[in-house]
């Protein structure tokens, strides 16, 4: 969704890419996180099979809304990172945008690791998964921690969507949906 917001602001309305990125990733990511957390909160009270169906339903809803607004055809997405050659590794040309994306992903992974493993919020996020009632007895509202975790996750997902669309140089709702489905599989395997 954030990639489409970025496209709408930058390509269709001429907004500078920095502002479009801040709105698409910062604002849209936060709002999306809050909406998804509210939906997920309602799903916690139902059996696991319904949770899976509800999660797939949310994905299909997002896909349907995007298709309704933009149609099912892919759209050209102008890259906003430099695409010329940065270096060559074993005879394979590596573009500058790939280097930038690699550095952003590496820094994000390190930052997320430090957040989860070394910060108070990370400890609370792990606790809300393991035993929310125990976290509540410690004086921390589990709903607030879950909300913060959803917002952080949605901001990461929004940034990923914008970077992926820039590297692919196209917006395709089917392709982006399949990436999300693959992420569900990776999350399930990684437990």
């Amino acid at each position: 969704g954030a990639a489409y917001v970025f496209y709408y602001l930058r390509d269709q309305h001429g907004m500078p890419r920095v502002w479009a990125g801040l709105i698409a990733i910062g604002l849209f990511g936060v709002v999306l996180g809050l909406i998804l957390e509210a939906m997920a909160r309602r799903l916690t009270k139902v059996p696991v099979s319904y949770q899976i169906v509800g999660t797939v339903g949310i994905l299909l809803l997002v896909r349907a809304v995007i298709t309704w607004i933009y149609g099912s055809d892919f759209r050209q997405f102008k890259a906003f990172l430099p695409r010329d050659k940065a270096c060559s590794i074993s005879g394979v040309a590596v573009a500058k945008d790939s280097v930038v994306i690699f550095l952003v992903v590496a820094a994000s992974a390190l930052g997320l690791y430090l957040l989860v493993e070394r910060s108070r919020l990370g400890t609370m996020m792990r606790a809300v998964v393991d035993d929310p009632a125990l976290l509540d007895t410690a004086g921390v509202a589990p709903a607030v921690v879950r909300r913060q975790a959803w917002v952080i996750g949605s901001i990461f997902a929004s940034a990923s969507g914008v970077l992926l669309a820039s590297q692919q140089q196209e917006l395709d709702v089917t392709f982006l949906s399949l990436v999300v489905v693959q992420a569900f599989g990776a999350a399930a395997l990684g437990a």
Side-chain angles (χ1 to χ4, degrees):
Y4 280 91
V5 172
F6 185 87
Y7 170 81
Y8 173 81
L9 295 172
R10 183 192 66 166
D11 293 353
Q12 292 185 327
H13 292 286
M15 184 177 283
R17 67 180 180 210
V18 171
W19 288 108
L22 287 173
I23 292 170
I25 296 168
L27 183 62
F28 179 79
V30 169
V31 171
L32 182 65
L34 294 173
I35 291 169
L36 290 174
E37 186 277 329
M39 291 174 157
R41 188 173 351 113
R42 286 173 181 72
L43 287 174
T44 59
K45 299 175 178 105
V46 299
V48 174
S49 59
Y50 289 3
Q51 290 176 5
I52 294 169
V53 170
T55 302
V56 172
I58 291 169
L59 174 65
L60 293 175
L61 174 68
V62 170
R63 187 182 188 285
V65 168
I66 291 171
T67 302
W68 178 59
I69 294 171
Y70 289 99
S72 60
D73 295 336
F74 77 91
R75 304 211 175 237
Q76 293 291 349
F77 189 94
K78 294 182 287 187
F80 58 85
L81 296 172
R83 297 197 46 93
D84 47 324
K85 182 179 172 183
C87 63
S88 186
I89 300 174
S90 296
V92 176
V94 178
K96 288 181 181 177
D97 68 336
S98 295
V99 173
V100 170
I101 290 172
F102 173 79
L103 293 173
V104 167
V105 168
S108 298
L110 177 63
L112 193 56
Y113 170 79
L114 293 173
L115 173 78
V116 171
E117 293 296 325
R118 310 245 189 238
S119 73
R120 183 171 189 267
L121 176 60
T123 302
M124 292 186 302
M125 286 168 43
R126 290 192 317 273
V128 80
V129 172
D130 293 339
D131 194 350
L134 183 60
L135 184 65
D136 194 29
T137 60
V140 178
V144 172
V145 175
R146 274 193 300 271
R147 198 170 296 126
Q148 291 170 336
W150 273 100
V151 166
I152 291 167
S154 293
I155 288 172
F156 272 92
S158 297
S160 298
V162 171
L163 289 172
L164 180 63
S166 178
Q167 189 166 49
Q168 296 293 318
Q169 292 187 344
E170 68 179 26
L171 282 175
D172 182 1
V173 69
T174 302
F175 174 72
L176 292 172
S177 299
L178 290 175
V179 169
V180 172
V181 170
Q182 289 174 348
F184 283 144
L189 289 174

